[in-house]
Amino acid sequence: MDTSKPAVLVNGGLLRGYVGQRVRTVAQVVRPDAGGLTGRSTDEKQIDVKGKMPAAVTTFVEVIGVADGPQSICAEIVTNFGDTFDANNFNQLCRHANGDFRHLFI
């Protein structure tokens, strides 16, 4: 596993604390467009993702990139995550990764 460029796990609410840093999140696609997509984070916040998207996006995508604003990510990698995803579990994971268990995550 390459750990040279770690990405912090975030949801929409946590994103604002990592502007300028590499982040990783999962979003529900609301509206794809030519330059990216508008999505809904697992904690129901709007996220704008800029960059190259897969030819066809599924309902949920994982986004890895640099947070370039409190609600936006400049994507390096966008991976389809299918049409079903447990947003609550991912939210809990984000809370642990940014809370008391931060030391267990990259």
Side-chain angles (χ1 to χ4, degrees), residues 5-89:
K5 295 190 317 184
V8 180
L9 287 169
V10 296
N11 58 23
L14 294 167
L15 183 60
R16 74 185 83 246
Y18 293 98
V19 174
Q21 297 179 47
R22 198 157 188 259
V23 295
R24 169 179 282 194
T25 195
V26 174
Q28 181 177 2
V29 176
V30 174
R31 186 178 59 252
D33 61 45
L37 64 85
T38 300
R40 185 175 17 261
S41 66
T42 56
D43 60 342
E44 300 293 322
K45 309 278 192 251
Q46 180 176 313
I47 296 177
D48 295 313
V49 179
K50 303 169 199 160
K52 187 176 181 197
M53 299 294 120
V57 293
T58 57
T59 304
F60 293 93
V61 293
E62 178 187 47
V63 178
I64 301 172
V66 176
D68 63 348
Q71 293 179 296
S72 70
I73 299 172
C74 183
E76 297 169 0
I77 302 168
V78 177
T79 305
N80 282 324
F81 259 31
D83 295 322
T84 58
F85 186 79
D86 192 326
N88 186 50
N89 280 347

